[in-house]
Amino acid sequence: MKLDTPLKEAYERDHLTAVEAQRLAHLIAFAPVVFQITRLMHKFGVFSLLRDSDNGLTIDDVAENIGISRYASQILLESSLTTGTVLLKDGRFHLSKAGWFFLTDPMIEVNMNFNHDVNYMGLFSLEEALLNGKPEGLKVFGNWETIYEGLSSLPPQVQKSWFGFDHFYSDNSFQQGLEIVFSRSPKTLLDVGGNTGRWALQCVRFSPDVEVTIMDLPQQIAMMKEQTKLLPEAKRIHGHSADLLNLETVFPAPFDAIWMSQFLDCFSEEQVFSIVSRAAKSMNGSSRLYIMETFWDRQKYETSAFDLAQTSVYFTAMANGNSKMYYSEDMIRIIEKVGLRIDKIHDNLGLGHCILECVKA
C-alpha cells in the first residue's frame, strides 16, 4: 500500500510528542464519553450560547439558560473543558476553536447524527463483526442480512440520519458528476443502486433527452416510485428490481452510460468483482461505466481520509460485515481484471469524491 502527499506526510512518521501521544491515547479511551457529552453540548444549545456571549458564561448561567440543573451544567462544561471544546477564563466559560466547528461545519453534524443514530449501539458488536464477517451490530434494529434490506423499516430517526449522511456526501458532487457524464450526451443511463432516485432526478432535469433506469432491490425501487410519483419528469425514470448479490442477476443492456455512485463500497472485493464483471458484459464499444467513490487515499485533506477510514467501520458492524471505503488501487485492480480500461480519473469532486471513467479494454 502506497500513499501520496499530503497523506504520506501525515501517516509516514509520528508527529506527536510523548505528552501529546499520551493525551490522544486517553482521549481515545474515553471517546464514547467525549462523543456523547459533545453531542449534548450541541443539542442543548450550550455551544450556541457560548458563541453568542461576549463575556462568557458561568455554570449557573448555562443551567438557567438551558433549563437544566446546576449539576448537569457542571458535568457538561467540565467534561467539555478537558476535551477542548470550551475554555475557562476568570470563572467564565467560552467557546474554543474546536467547539466553534460544531456550529459551523455541517459535515461534523451529519457525521455525529449518523454515528449516534445509526452506529452507536451496534458498534458494541464490532468484535463479533470482524471475526464473523457479518454486520453483527445490525441486530439492534432487525434481523436482516444487510442494512439495505431493512432501510425502509428502520426507525424514522435512524432513517433520517442514514439518508442525511448518504445524501450529504453524494449531493455535493452531483453537479460535477452530471457535467462529466453528460459531456458525452448519453440517451440511456443505468443507475445501479439508485436508492430513492436523487441522482436519476438530477439526470432527467439536466438532460431532456435521457431515459434513466434504476437498478436496485425491490424495496428501494418501491421507495423511489413513492417519492417520485408526483414529479412530471419522473416519467423518464424506470425501475429494474434486482438482487445484485445473486450471481445469476444479469445487467439489462445496452446503455450508453452505467452509473455507480457510492455503491461499490457496499460490497466485498469478491462481490465488487462479480458486479463489475456483469456490468462489463452488458457494455458495448461505446458504453461507459462511471464509478464514483470517496477513496480514502485520494483525499486532498487528511481529515477527510480520517473520516472515510472510520466510516469503513460502519460497513463492518452495521451494513454488511465485509465492505469498506476503498483504497483506490484495490478498485482499479478489480476494474482492470474484469477487462475494462480506465479512460479518465476525475479527482477532488465535491467533498472528496473521485470518478473512474471506464471503457471496454
Side-chain angles (χ1 to χ4, degrees), residues 258 260 275-284 287-291 332-343 357-361:
I258 301 174
M260 297 180 183
I275 291 168
V276 177
S277 294
R278 283 175 278 152
K281 290 177 182 177
S282 75
M283 296 168 63
N284 58 32
S287 299
R288 296 212 161 213
L289 169 62
Y290 299 88
I291 296 173
I332 291 170
R333 170 175 45 79
I334 294 170
I335 291 167
E336 293 176 344
K337 188 176 178 180
V338 305
L340 295 177
R341 174 176 60 83
I342 297 176
D343 187 48
E357 190 171 340
C358 312
V359 296
K360 295 281 256 187

Side-chain angles (χ1 to χ4, degrees), residues 134-135 138 142-150 245 318-321:
K134 296 181 180 180
L138 184 56
N143 296 315
W144 305 292
E145 290 294 320
T146 70
I147 200 169
Y148 312 107
E149 300 167 40
L245 289 179
M318 303 300 298
N320 52 41

Side-chain angles (χ1 to χ4, degrees), residues 167-321:
H167 294 164
F168 179 80
Y169 286 97
S170 61
D171 288 3
N172 276 278
S173 56
F174 272 179
Q175 185 59 39
Q176 291 165 295
L178 288 167
E179 291 168 2
I180 290 168
V181 172
F182 284 93
S183 65
R184 305 185 67 84
S185 303
K187 296 296 187 294
T188 58
L189 184 146
L190 181 65
D191 182 5
V192 184
N195 243 325
T196 56
R198 289 171 77 88
W199 166 259
L201 278 171
Q202 295 281 342
C203 288
V204 295
R205 288 169 178 166
F206 190 88
S207 168
D209 303 318
V210 72
E211 296 279 336
V212 179
T213 298
I214 295 177
M215 185 181 187
D216 212 328
L217 292 167
Q219 305 95 306
Q220 306 308 104
I221 297 298
M223 289 177 68
M224 176 274 291
K225 289 182 177 178
E226 178 63 25
Q227 295 202 24
T228 62
K229 64 183 179 182
L230 299 179
L231 302 174
E233 58 266 52
K235 65 183 180 182
R236 288 188 284 124
I237 300 176
H238 317 285
H240 182 88
S241 297
D243 178 4
L244 285 156
L245 289 179
N246 183 342
L247 299 181
E248 302 302 316
T249 297
V250 177
F251 275 62
F255 283 87
D256 298 330
I258 301 174
W259 174 257
M260 297 180 183
S261 172
Q262 294 183 182
F263 174 69
L264 293 178
D265 53 42
C266 302
F267 302 95
S268 68
E269 284 199 26
E270 294 78 9
Q271 291 165 340
V272 170
F273 176 81
S274 172
I275 291 168
V276 177
S277 294
R278 283 175 278 152
K281 290 177 182 177
S282 75
M283 296 168 63
N284 58 32
S286 60
S287 299
R288 296 212 161 213
L289 169 62
Y290 299 88
I291 296 173
M292 185 165 79
E293 289 290 346
T294 43
F295 298 113
W296 70 262
D297 63 302
R298 300 187 75 91
Q299 298 304 303
K300 187 176 181 180
Y301 301 107
E302 189 276 331
T303 299
S304 298
F306 169 84
D307 283 355
L308 292 170
Q310 309 319 310
T311 301
S312 286
V313 183
Y314 145 77
F315 289 104
T316 306
M318 303 300 298
N320 52 41

Side-chain angles (χ1 to χ4, degrees), residues 22-187:
Q22 184 185 42
R23 160 75 178 180
L24 175 60
H26 280 272
L27 182 65
I28 293 169
F30 274 96
V33 176
V34 171
F35 175 85
Q36 290 295 354
I37 286 288
T38 307
R39 185 183 71 85
L40 293 175
M41 287 283 285
H42 185 31
K43 180 180 179 179
F44 290 166
V46 182
F47 286 150
S48 297
L49 272 177
L50 295 175
R51 177 195 58 192
D52 298 337
S53 172
D54 293 332
N55 300 311
L57 298 171
T58 65
I59 292 172
D60 290 323
D61 291 336
V62 170
E64 182 179 352
N65 279 278
I66 299 301
I68 58 178
S69 69
R70 188 181 192 279
Y71 168 80
S73 176
Q74 189 170 8
I75 288 293
L76 289 169
L77 289 168
E78 288 179 353
S79 175
S80 298
L81 175 65
T82 56
T83 297
T85 54
V86 303
L87 304 171
L88 180 62
K89 298 178 184 178
D90 300 322
R92 306 181 75 85
F93 290 88
H94 303 261
L95 191 67
S96 72
K97 291 178 182 177
W100 180 81
F101 276 107
F102 283 91
L103 295 173
T104 58
D105 187 341
M107 187 187 300
I108 291 175
E109 183 168 6
V110 166
N111 289 345
M112 182 161 277
N113 290 339
F114 179 67
N115 279 314
H116 177 66
D117 294 325
V118 179
N119 298 329
Y120 200 83
M121 292 188 293
L123 283 172
F124 191 82
S125 300
L126 176 60
E127 181 177 352
E128 292 88 342
L130 286 166
L131 294 174
N132 300 335
K134 296 181 180 180
E136 301 290 1
L138 184 56
K139 59 179 176 282
V140 301
F141 297 125
N143 296 315
W144 305 292
E145 290 294 320
T146 70
I147 200 169
Y148 312 107
E149 300 167 40
L151 273 181
S152 59
S153 302
L154 291 174
Q157 184 58 41
V158 179
Q159 271 194 23
K160 180 180 178 182
S161 293
W162 191 95
F163 283 109
F165 181 85
D166 183 69
H167 294 164
F168 179 80
Y169 286 97
S170 61
D171 288 3
N172 276 278
S173 56
F174 272 179
Q175 185 59 39
Q176 291 165 295
L178 288 167
E179 291 168 2
I180 290 168
V181 172
F182 284 93
S183 65
R184 305 185 67 84
S185 303
K187 296 296 187 294

